[in-house]
Structures are given as structure tokens and as C-alpha cells.
Amino acid sequence: MITGSLVALVTPMHEDGSIHWEHLDALLDFHLENGTHGIVAVGTTGESSTLDPNEHCKVIGHIIKYLDGRIPVIAGTGGNSTREAIHLTTEAYKLGADACLLVVPYYNKPSQEGLYRHFRAIAEAVPVNQIVYNVPGRTACDMLNETVERLADIPNIVGIKDATGNIPRGIELINAVSGRMVVYSGDDATAAELMLAGGKGNISVTANVAPRAMASLCEAAIAGDRAETERLNELLMPLNRKLFLEANPIPVKWALHRLGHLDDGIRLPLTSLHEQFHGEVEDALVAAGVL
């Protein structure tokens, strides 16, 4: 089981939008040095929507090769086309990914039956461990707990990233799929409470800039240490909020640029963080002790 702080890694880019491979390696070293438990490669935060399929697979393969088994790699391979998701998941499996993360199809607004058949088709086509990902705020489609319960009976669908931010609903889901599937948070602001309730980790944006603190928070929460979890959560809460002042990954890429880890590179239609938000993100970095 993959557990703990699983960073939703940004994809470093030069100012012209081309991938910055040297900065990618440096970021991976940064996470190894600071206790991150796993890397999520080319998810939403990694700008999966602006990388072409060849680049998508190349980044996943580069990360897997560079880490060489030191920590797990979860490859983002979802899509709103079932055929495309199967293709990307197959390629990630061939490259050696430990698991794949598959977002609910966006824009299409499939039915609950359509969602079930979509994820079942991918699981049956590719024998890699798979984590489904529900983020209705971005996909305009909410996968209900009842549908997740059905998916939990498929052997290689081993987890769900729940980014609803709804703790009562998350607790209900943890109880419903216990022993068949693990639940990860996909919402930094509510991750601590979900892990204290039985979640097994956090697929985190905040971990990009505060990896050590997020790793410690996840360890404490999974161990049931409420006092330490709450202390660390309070430390990180300004970042959890301010890193979403504009659409992810705009603020977190600017924050990493401010910390000296990245060039100010991002691909259209995304643009660099608006100047009016710079001070708020800087203040959050200072509050977390990383700037």
C-alpha cells in the first residue's frame, strides 16, 4: 500500500514553455531529501492538460528512471476519452509506474453507469494498480460514493483520491470501502481530518513547497496523533488556502519560482500568477517557514 505525503508534482518549464529536465531532477532530489513518500507524475498539477501525449509519457518515464525505486511513482493517466486513458495507462505500466491515477472524465458529464464502465474498462485492460480521482470542482462531474463502492470490487482499483473536501462524505466512503480500497485526500485544506478518520495519505499540492512539514503531518495523522497533526495543519493552513488563489498550478508554480526551484514557466492557456497575489503567497510561504 502506498501511503503518506504523495506530492502532486509540478512539471518544471523554461519561460518559453518547454520542459526543464534539469529542474525536474532537482525537484525530485528535493523531495527525496525532505521525506516525501511518493510522487504523482503529470496529474492536474503537472499540467497534464497542456502536455501532448508523447511529452506526458516522456515525463513519467523520466521520473521513474531517475527515482529508480527509491519512492513510489503514481502516474497520472486519466482522460475524458476511455481509449486515451487506456493508452496512457498502458504506457505508464510499461514504463514501470507503481500505480496510475485516473481522474473522473471531465466536460463529458457521463452518468454514474458511464463512470463505472469507464474505470472498469481501464482496469480490465491494464493490470496495474489504479487510483480513481473524484474532483467535481474541476470535472463538472461528481462520482457518487455508491459508484466508488462498486469499483472497489475490481481487484486492481486499489484507491480513490477524494478531492470533494466533504469530510462526512469522506468518512462514509472510508467505512464503505474498508478492506477493499484505500482513501486518499486530494484537498490540502481538509486532508488532516480525513487522514485522522482513516485516510491513508494526501495527494498534495502544498507538498511541492513544504514537503517536510506535509510528510510529517501525514505520518502523524495516519498514526492517529491528533495534537501533532493539528499543530502542523495550523502551520500549513495559510499555504493550503493561498496556493489556490488562482487555478492550480498557477500559484504553486509561482511559489516554487519565488523559492528558486523553477523558472517562471507555464503553458497557455495558464499564465503566471497575477502580481496582486504575490504578497499573499509570499506571506504564506513565510508563515510555513519555507521562505
Side-chain angles (χ1 to χ4, degrees):
M1 185 192 301
I2 301 171
T3 63
S5 177
L6 311 172
V7 62
L9 193 72
V10 303
T11 299
M13 295 174 182
H14 295 278
E15 291 188 15
D16 65 2
S18 60
I19 296 169
H20 199 313
W21 300 102
E22 294 82 3
H23 281 178
L24 178 56
D25 292 347
L27 276 186
L28 294 171
D29 288 337
F30 177 59
H31 285 286
L32 289 169
E33 292 162 5
N34 283 278
T36 294
H37 301 107
I39 302 291
V40 176
V42 200
T44 304
T45 309
E47 294 177 74
S48 57
S49 59
T50 65
L51 270 61
D52 68 42
N54 288 334
E55 290 176 314
H56 192 124
C57 295
K58 188 174 180 181
V59 173
I60 290 169
H62 183 95
I63 290 171
I64 292 169
K65 184 177 180 180
Y66 189 85
L67 290 174
D68 193 27
R70 287 176 286 181
I71 55 175
V73 177
I74 300 169
T77 58
N80 63 348
S81 159
T82 305
R83 290 186 179 186
E84 179 184 2
I86 289 173
H87 169 70
L88 290 173
T89 304
T90 300
E91 292 305 306
Y93 172 62
K94 291 177 181 177
L95 289 166
D98 295 282
C100 290
L101 179 68
L102 294 138
V103 70
V104 162
Y106 42 87
Y107 190 78
N108 299 353
K109 293 188 176 181
S111 67
Q112 296 300 306
E113 181 63 23
L115 292 175
Y116 173 75
R117 293 189 190 186
H118 169 80
F119 288 117
R120 185 184 68 186
I122 301 164
E124 289 176 347
V126 193
V128 68
N129 284 342
Q130 296 174 25
I131 300 165
V132 297
Y133 173 20
N134 191 33
V135 56
R138 295 195 75 127
T139 62
C141 182
D142 187 3
M143 184 163 60
L144 301 180
N145 281 4
E146 291 80 5
T147 303
V148 181
E149 287 183 57
R150 293 178 68 194
L151 292 170
D153 287 329
I154 298 172
N156 60 325
I157 297 182
V158 299
I160 177 170
K161 176 184 176 183
D162 178 2
T164 64
N166 185 326
I167 293 300
R169 174 176 170 173
I171 293 171
E172 179 183 290
L173 183 59
I174 288 168
N175 292 332
V177 301
S178 178
R180 297 182 292 156
M181 174 190 284
V182 298
V183 178
Y184 303 98
S185 175
D187 178 63
D188 281 309
T190 59
E193 282 301 321
L194 192 69
M195 287 185 287
L196 285 168
K200 297 303 181 185
N202 182 26
I203 297 177
S204 172
V205 175
T206 298
N208 278 282
V209 294
R212 187 171 296 280
M214 182 56 73
S216 297
L217 184 152
C218 291
E219 290 167 2
I222 293 170
D225 185 343
R226 177 169 286 276
E228 179 65 0
T229 300
E230 291 179 349
R231 182 188 73 81
L232 290 164
N233 196 45
E234 183 177 355
L235 175 73
L236 292 174
M237 193 53 70
L239 275 177
N240 295 340
R241 293 176 176 145
K242 300 303 182 181
L243 290 180
F244 294 90
L245 285 170
E246 290 191 302
N248 179 49
I250 291 171
V252 72
K253 289 197 88 171
W254 184 86
L256 284 164
H257 171 62
R258 178 67 181 84
L259 293 172
H261 294 295
L262 301 183
D263 286 355
D264 192 18
I266 197 164
R267 285 191 182 178
L268 289 170
L270 302 178
T271 55
S272 186
L273 184 70
H274 195 283
E275 188 176 354
Q276 74 182 79
F277 298 124
H278 289 187
E280 291 184 66
V281 175
E282 281 190 346
D283 289 346
L285 292 169
V286 170
V290 295
L291 178 63

